[in-house]
Amino acid sequence: MACIVDNPDMALASVWDIFCRVIDNLGDLGVCWRLSRQLARRGVQVRLWLDDDEALRWMAPQGCPGVEVRPWTQPLDLDRITPGQVLIEAFGCEIPADFVEAFAVQSQRHPSAWINLEYLSAQPYVERSHRLPSPVLSGPGQGLTKHFFYPGFTPRTGGLLREPDLVQRQNGFHAASWLAQHGITTRPDECLASLFCYEPHALPDLLVRLARHPSHLLVTAGRATEAVRACQVPAGLRLSYLPYLEQDDFDHLLWSCDINFVRGEDSLVRGLWAGKPLVWQLYPQQDLAHHAKLAAFLDWLDAPPGLREMHKCWNQVGAARMPALDLAAWRDTVHQARQRLLEQSDLLTQLLEFVAHVTR
């Protein structure tokens, strides 16, 4: 893994500091690592500050040239660190005061940008709030201005992370070869499904539904594996338990399947880019705020009734019952959504343009 030289004279415009707290579902880390990788490929040097980097051992075991992972400890070791031109506060993680103080000093000498990278949603407030300034009125950052940057699904939002060569890589991908390399055997006329989930109440119903037709369920490591093993698996359903996958291989898994059950933010985006039928499980919130978030996404997706019912069942919204899996109709829906997204500017391109605007 290439490291950043802690040199105060380095070109600050090429250095970004990204702060991320790792939570149980790992979605925050997944987004920040993808963002860091894409920035590095654009020639930006990235310091990714993490309070827990253990998951990167399987998510990104080879690291990435141009990305330095630094421990987010208290206090930070800032003796040899000069904050870069851009500070990313991922998902409201609250930048440590000592770093903000050093960033404020640096900002007096060089134009800088402090970006609050927010969570993904299709709700109306995203378009209203995207790019809004937030003056810092107190504390070590007093006098600075944060800007909200909202990922989203429409042209009036920050868009989604997307690699420039995504479509070309997908067109050259051979699912059968990838599956064989991972010891997964397939059978003719068998539905191949991936499962990346928390502990959905409707999981036993899904297993029964899949078992009604020749199906093979590929279960991701961690909570999904534990959830399936806690169920009585019906006869006729084939299962494969997967190891933890690197980010690129997780994408390959989604590209290989006929339907993908995804969870959280990062895998939803990757499921959309896969262009296959998908069912999204949101992170459940006690105040049920995820219900409105789900409804907004389904409206943007223009989901047909069966796919809406499936999402409600999977997320335990109301008294929804599991419908039949209409893969052909659901595939068309996701494919059309993917085409709309491909016509929009991706998140990194927009972020780079916005930073250039606020630092000029």
Side-chain angles (χ1 to χ4, degrees):
M1 180 184 297
C3 292
I4 296 172
V5 178
D6 298 327
N7 181 353
D9 297 327
M10 73 184 358
L12 292 173
S14 66
V15 181
W16 291 32
D17 289 289
I18 301 177
F19 280 81
C20 173
R21 289 201 179 278
V22 180
I23 56 176
D24 179 58
N25 57 39
L26 302 177
D28 292 2
L29 176 59
V31 171
C32 288
W33 183 253
R34 288 190 193 272
L35 175 60
S36 298
R37 289 174 66 193
Q38 291 188 32
L39 281 167
R41 290 170 182 170
R42 297 284 190 99
V44 176
Q45 292 179 298
V46 180
R47 284 188 293 242
L48 178 57
W49 299 82
L50 300 174
D51 61 343
D52 183 357
D53 66 354
E54 182 178 357
L56 287 182
R57 297 174 187 175
W58 53 264
M59 188 183 293
Q62 306 302 318
C64 177
V67 179
E68 179 190 13
V69 178
R70 297 195 67 94
W72 181 349
T73 56
Q74 295 294 345
L76 295 175
D77 179 12
L78 297 177
D79 291 340
R80 299 184 302 116
I81 295 292
T82 299
Q85 183 192 37
V86 181
L87 176 58
I88 300 290
E89 183 175 353
F91 314 115
C93 63
E94 296 188 14
I95 307 298
D98 49 353
F99 193 94
V100 171
E101 183 176 5
F103 180 74
V105 172
Q106 194 65 32
S107 298
Q108 295 173 1
R109 304 169 184 164
H110 304 277
S112 62
W114 184 351
I115 306 295
N116 192 334
L117 181 63
E118 287 287 351
Y119 285 104
L120 174 66
S121 177
Q123 291 166 280
Y125 73 84
V126 170
E127 291 188 346
R128 296 195 303 268
S129 304
H130 179 52
R131 298 191 177 197
L132 286 182
S134 177
V136 180
L137 302 178
S138 62
Q142 184 175 359
L144 298 177
T145 299
K146 295 184 190 182
H147 286 88
F148 292 103
F149 200 92
Y150 278 86
F153 303 98
T154 66
R156 294 178 61 189
T157 69
L160 304 178
L161 282 172
R162 180 180 80 236
E163 303 83 357
D165 62 346
L166 174 69
V167 175
Q168 292 86 343
R169 289 190 296 112
Q170 285 182 309
N171 290 340
F173 177 70
H174 299 282
S177 298
W178 185 86
L179 291 166
Q181 290 172 8
H182 289 266
I184 300 169
T185 60
T186 58
R187 297 173 183 174
D189 302 321
E190 186 177 57
C191 174
L192 200 61
S194 74
L195 181 67
F196 182 51
C197 65
Y198 303 114
E199 295 80 22
H201 181 77
L203 180 57
D205 293 337
L206 174 66
L207 301 182
V208 170
R209 176 70 67 182
L210 289 173
R212 293 178 181 175
H213 305 282
S215 299
H216 189 172
L217 183 62
L218 308 184
V219 186
T220 58
R223 293 174 66 171
T225 287
E226 295 172 2
V228 172
R229 285 179 170 161
C231 296
Q232 182 176 353
V233 178
L237 176 61
R238 290 213 299 152
L239 294 177
S240 290
Y241 292 102
L242 304 176
Y244 284 104
L245 298 173
E246 299 180 34
Q247 275 195 333
D248 288 346
D249 272 331
F250 181 76
D251 292 347
H252 296 156
L253 169 67
L254 301 182
W255 298 355
S256 299
C257 291
D258 300 302
I259 182 170
N260 296 305
F261 290 81
V262 297
R263 77 178 202 205
E265 179 172 327
D266 181 60
S267 64
L268 169 63
V269 173
R270 306 317 296 186
L272 287 167
W273 292 137
K276 303 294 185 69
L278 65 82
V279 180
W280 179 32
Q281 185 181 17
L282 287 73
Y283 189 76
Q285 297 173 274
Q286 290 186 346
D287 61 359
L288 303 183
H290 60 294
H291 289 188
K293 188 173 183 177
L294 174 61
F297 170 72
L298 294 174
D299 287 343
W300 168 82
L301 187 64
D302 197 18
L307 187 54
R308 288 177 183 269
E309 193 73 3
M310 182 71 206
H311 274 87
K312 291 178 181 179
C313 176
W314 197 237
N315 287 277
Q316 207 170 350
V317 178
R321 302 182 64 179
M322 184 165 294
L325 305 183
D326 189 350
L327 297 189
W330 299 358
R331 185 183 305 109
D332 289 344
T333 296
V334 176
H335 180 75
Q336 291 172 16
R338 179 178 181 271
Q339 290 303 116
R340 297 199 302 271
L341 292 170
L342 286 172
E343 294 171 1
Q344 300 172 22
S345 183
D346 66 279
L347 186 146
L348 181 58
T349 297
Q350 292 197 55
L351 186 57
L352 289 170
E353 292 173 349
F354 183 66
V355 166
H357 172 72
V358 298
T359 57
R360 66 186 179 187

